Amino acid sequence: DEEFKYRGGEGQELSSQLHYDGGINLLAQISGRKRFLLLPSSSLPHLYLNSSSATPNFSPIDVEHPDTKAYPDYAKAPKPVECVAEPGDILHVPARWFHQVHSSGRNVAVNFWFLYPSRFRVYWMRIVNRLGYEIA
C-alpha cells in the first residue's frame, strides 16, 4: 500500500517519509523546527524505489529505524547527514537528494523549488541582489 505520509497531529511531531525532490529546494524556516536526515543522490541504488509506483521518488525505508532484513542493501548506503532548521534558517537541499523530515512545534516553513538546477545561480544572484548584498 503506497502513499505519501505525513504523520502527526496537534502538539505532535509531524514526519515525512524518505523521498527526493526533482529540483533544488530552499526551505526557509519561520517557526518551529525541522530535523532533516539527508542522503546524497548516489544512495539511490540502496533505497528500494519502485519506478512503477504512483510515488516513484519515495523510499519505503525509515532512515531512523531501517529494517535491514527487509532492505539489506540499505546497509551499503552512506550514513545520513542530520541538519536542523530553526526559525530564521534557510536550508539548501540539492536536487535529487533524499530527505526524511521531522517537524516539531508550531511549524511554519516556506519552500522554494528550482526545477532547473542549471539556472539556480541566476535565481540565487537575483535574490541576493534584491536583498542588497553583493557576492564577489
Side-chain angles (χ1 to χ4, degrees), residues 41-63:
S41 57
S42 61
S43 305
L44 176 68
H46 313 296
L47 299 181
Y48 296 85
L49 273 64
N50 181 352
S51 61
S52 63
S53 79
T55 53
N57 58 320
F58 285 79
S59 169
I61 295 171
D62 179 345
V63 174

Side-chain angles (χ1 to χ4, degrees), residues 20-58:
Y20 71 83
D21 300 318
I24 291 171
N25 179 1
L26 286 181
L27 174 126
Q29 190 68 30
I30 309 300
S31 68
R33 66 194 299 264
K34 289 190 186 300
R35 185 170 148 265
F36 285 76
L37 296 170
L38 300 156
L39 288 161
S41 57
S42 61
S43 305
L44 176 68
H46 313 296
L47 299 181
Y48 296 85
L49 273 64
N50 181 352
S51 61
S52 63
S53 79
T55 53
N57 58 320
F58 285 79

